[in-house]
C-alpha cells in the first residue's frame, strides 16, 4: 500500500498543505525544529489515530487553533481509500471514504505504518512503558480486537484503581463491587495478554531473521513476554490466563488495598530481549541495541505483510545518521524498493545513495514544505 496524497491543516507548526508523494522514497530535508518530525507524526496519526510521542492529542493542535485535520489517499492492491481524521479539543473523529466511523478501532488498520525514530533506540534498555507502548501501537493496528480490548482494559483498570482508592480511604466498603471490577479487569487483561503472546510468536521469527541479516552475525535474537503474573505462560488460553490472574489477585488482595492500585496485569507486563539466551537489557552494546530496535521494526513490516497481504508504509525519523552503511544496506534489502518510505534528515549526505536512488525531496522550513526539483544525485526528475 502507499499514500499518494496528503492534506493537513492545523497540525502543530505545519502550514496547511496538500502534497503528492512518491510511491517509493520521499525525503524531508530541513534544519532542526522546522517541522520534519511533526510531518511524520501527522502521517503516522492519519494511519494509527495516535501519536508515537504523546498520548495527549491536544498537544498536536497548532497553537491558537481549535482543531487539526489530516486527510490522505491510500492505494492498495485491490482498492483505493480516502482517510480523514480530525483532532479537536473534545476528541477525535475519523472517516473512511467520507463515512464517519463509529469507533476508532474500525478506522485503524486501513493504512498501516511503521515508524522508526531515535527514541526507539531506548526500546531495549529504556523504561518498560516504552515496550508496552510498542506492543500496543504495533499489535493494535493489525488487530481491531486488540485495540478494543486495550481500550476496554484501560477504562476498567482506571475504575478499579479509583475504587481501590475509595476503599483505602474508607469512602467505600463494598467488596462485592471490587470483585465485579476484578473479574472484568481480568477478562479484558486475559484477551490482551493472549494476543500479545500470539503476535510476539510471529514477530520473533521475523525479528531473528532481520537481526542476523543486519548484524551479519550468528547471534540469535529472541523476544520474550514477561507477565507480571509469573504463572502465565505462552501456552495458556484466555480462560486460563484469566483464572491465573484471579488467583493472584486473591493472594495479593491486602497488598492492593494498602497500595490502592492494581498490581498485576498487562499495564505491568514487560518484554525481554535476549541475544543467544542472554538478557540484552543487562549487557547489549549501543550497536547491538540499535540493531535489535531496527530488527523489531523490520519484523513488523513482515508481520503486517503476513497478516494483511499489504506492505505498510515506513517512516524513518532522523535515523539514517544513526545507521552505518551496512545497516542502511540491510534496511534497503529488507524493503526491496517495495515499501513506501518517508525519511527525514538534516543532511542528505547521511543517506546512502543506494537507498534513495531517485527520491522525491521536500524542503521543510518553519513548517512550510516545498518540493525540490532535483534528485539526490543531481539528476532532474
Ligand atoms: N501544537 C503546536 N503548534 C505550533 N507549533 C508547534 C506545536 N507543537 C510543536 N510545535 C513546534 O514545532 C517545532 C518542532 O518541530 P519538529 O519536532 O517537527 O522539528 P524537526 O524538524 O523534526 O527538528 P529536529 O531535527 O530537531 O528533530 C518547534 O518549533 C515547536 O515549537
Amino acid at each position: 500500500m502507499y499514500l499518494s496524497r496528503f492534506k493537513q491543516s492545523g497540525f502543530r507548526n505545519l502550514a496547511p498543505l496538500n502534497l503528492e508523494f512518491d510511491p517509493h522514497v520521499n525525503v524531508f530535508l530541513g534544519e532542526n525544529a522546522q517541522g520534519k518530525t511533526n510531518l511524520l507524526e501527522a502521517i503516522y496519526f492519519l494511519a494509527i489515530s495516535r501519536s508515537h510521542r504523546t498520548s495527549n492529542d491536544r498537544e498536536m493542535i497548532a497553537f491558537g487553533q481549535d482543531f487539526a485535520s489530516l486527510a490522505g489517499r491510500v492505494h492498495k492492491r485491490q482498492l483505493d481509500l480516502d482517510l480523514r481524521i480530525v483532532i479537536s479539543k473534545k476528541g477525535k473523529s475519523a472517516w473512511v471514504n467520507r463515512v464517519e466511523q463509529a469507533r476508532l478501532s474500525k478506522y485503524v488498520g486501513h493504512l498501516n505504518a511503521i515508524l522508526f525514530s531515535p527514541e526507539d533506540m531506548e526500546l531495549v534498555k529504556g523504561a518498560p512503558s516504552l515496550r508496552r507502548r510498542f506492543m500496543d501501537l504495533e499489535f493494535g493496528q493489525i488487530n481491531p480486537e486488540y485495540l478494543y480490548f486495550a481500550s476496554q482494559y484501560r477504562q476498567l483498570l482506571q475504575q478499579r484503581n479509583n475504587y481501590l482508592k475509595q476503599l483505602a480511604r474508607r469512602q467505600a466498603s463494598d467488596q462485592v463491587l471490587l470483585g465485579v471490577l476484578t473479574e472484568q479487569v481480568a477478562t479484558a487483561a486475559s484477551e490482551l495478554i493472549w494476543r500479545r503472546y500470539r503476535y510476539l510468536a510471529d514477530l520473533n521469527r521475523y525479528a531473528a531473521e532481520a537481526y542476523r541479516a543486519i548484524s551479519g552475525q550468528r547471534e540469535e535474537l529472541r523476544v520474550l513476554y514477561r507477565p507480571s503474573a509469573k504463572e502465565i505462560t505462552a501456552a495458556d488460553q484466555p480462560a486460563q490466563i484469566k483464572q491465573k490472574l484471579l488467583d493472584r489477585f486473591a493472594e495479593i488482595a491486602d497488598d492492593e488495598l494498602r497500595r490502592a492500585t492494581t498490581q498485576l496485569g498487562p499495564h505491568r507486563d514487560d518484554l525481554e530481549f535476549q541475544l543467544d539466551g542472554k538478557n540484552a537489557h543487562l549487557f547489549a552494546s549501543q550497536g547491538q541495541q540499535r540493531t535489535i530496535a531496527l530488527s523489531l521494526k523490520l519484523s513488523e513490516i513482515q508481520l503486517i505483510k503476513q497478516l494483511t497481504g499489504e506492505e505498510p508504509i515506513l517512516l524513518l525519523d532522523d535515523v539514517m545518521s544513526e545507521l552505518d552503511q551496512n545497516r542502511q544496506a540491510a534496511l534497503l534489502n529488507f524493503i526491496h524498493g517495495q515499501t513506501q518510505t518517508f525519511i527525514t534528515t538534516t543532511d542528505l549526505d547521511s543517506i546512502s545513495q543506494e537507498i534513495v536512488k531517485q527520491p522525491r525531496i521536500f524542503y521543510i522550513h518553519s513548517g512550510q514544505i516545498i518540493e525540490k526539483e532535483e534528485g539526490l544525485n543531481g539528476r532532474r526528475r
Side-chain angles (χ1 to χ4, degrees), residues 90-342:
K90 290 201 200 102
K92 47 199 167 189
S93 315
W95 291 260
V96 178
N97 288 337
R98 296 184 184 77
V99 178
E100 185 165 3
Q101 305 294 295
R103 283 205 304 262
L104 283 170
S105 58
K106 296 215 175 291
Y107 171 86
V108 178
H110 287 96
L111 171 63
N112 291 116
I114 302 297
L115 190 143
F116 188 42
S117 71
E119 292 86 67
D120 286 316
M121 306 298 179
E122 293 291 307
L123 259 177
V124 180
K125 292 204 176 181
S129 57
L130 292 174
R131 293 181 284 277
R132 288 191 288 266
R133 191 173 172 78
F134 161 80
M135 285 188 279
D136 289 346
L137 287 174
E138 310 313 340
F139 301 158
Q141 65 170 306
I142 50 180
N143 185 274
E145 286 172 356
Y146 185 99
L147 263 192
Y148 171 76
F149 286 119
S151 109
Q152 231 197 8
Y153 181 72
R154 260 195 303 277
Q155 287 169 24
L156 290 165
L157 183 66
Q158 199 173 10
Q159 284 175 26
R160 186 172 190 269
N161 283 341
N162 288 342
Y163 197 66
L164 281 170
K165 281 193 187 75
Q166 287 180 25
L167 288 172
R169 292 192 206 116
R170 304 198 190 286
Q171 292 162 338
S173 60
D174 187 352
Q175 291 293 332
V176 178
L177 179 56
L178 179 63
V180 172
L181 286 171
T182 305
E183 168 88 20
Q184 290 175 338
V185 161
T187 304
S190 64
E191 295 289 345
L192 207 53
I193 294 172
W194 183 70
R195 282 174 177 78
R196 284 182 177 175
Y197 270 116
R198 226 173 90 192
Y199 293 126
L200 276 175
D202 290 334
L203 201 68
N204 248 304
R205 234 174 340 118
Y206 297 127
E209 233 171 76
Y211 189 90
R212 269 194 303 273
I214 300 167
S215 66
Q217 285 164 13
R218 293 185 197 288
E219 280 169 323
E220 184 78 17
L221 169 65
R222 286 190 69 204
V223 189
L224 301 174
Y225 194 65
R226 293 289 183 221
S228 45
K230 306 238 176 324
E231 300 74 10
I232 295 171
T233 70
D236 290 337
Q237 292 297 307
Q240 292 162 296
I241 297 175
K242 179 178 168 184
Q243 194 50 55
K244 288 182 179 178
L245 281 170
L246 288 174
D247 291 347
R248 289 284 282 121
F249 278 131
E251 276 170 35
I252 61 168
D254 291 344
D255 190 38
E256 282 204 317
L257 275 179
R258 203 160 32 81
R259 294 174 193 250
T261 164
T262 303
Q263 301 290 310
L264 292 170
H267 68 295
R268 290 285 176 97
D269 295 354
D270 199 356
L271 289 177
E272 181 182 321
F273 302 109
Q274 291 187 346
L275 288 178
D276 282 344
K278 291 196 282 298
N279 187 343
H281 185 89
L282 302 176
F283 79 91
S285 69
Q286 289 279 349
Q288 283 170 321
Q289 290 177 53
R290 200 168 290 166
T291 306
I292 291 174
L294 181 59
S295 306
L296 278 179
K297 294 288 162 171
L298 296 179
S299 61
E300 285 160 37
I301 297 180
Q302 306 286 87
L303 183 61
I304 289 176
K305 243 192 312 191
Q306 173 201 307
L307 293 171
T308 68
E310 297 267 359
E311 298 259 348
I313 62 171
L314 178 64
L315 307 165
L316 299 174
D317 189 14
D318 205 16
V319 287
M320 293 320 246
S321 52
E322 305 240 6
L323 301 174
D324 58 24
Q325 289 291 325
N326 289 341
R327 289 194 180 93
Q328 288 201 17
L331 184 66
L332 171 69
N333 251 336
F334 249 85
I335 58 183
H336 301 299
Q338 283 169 24
T339 308
Q340 188 186 29
T341 308
F342 298 86

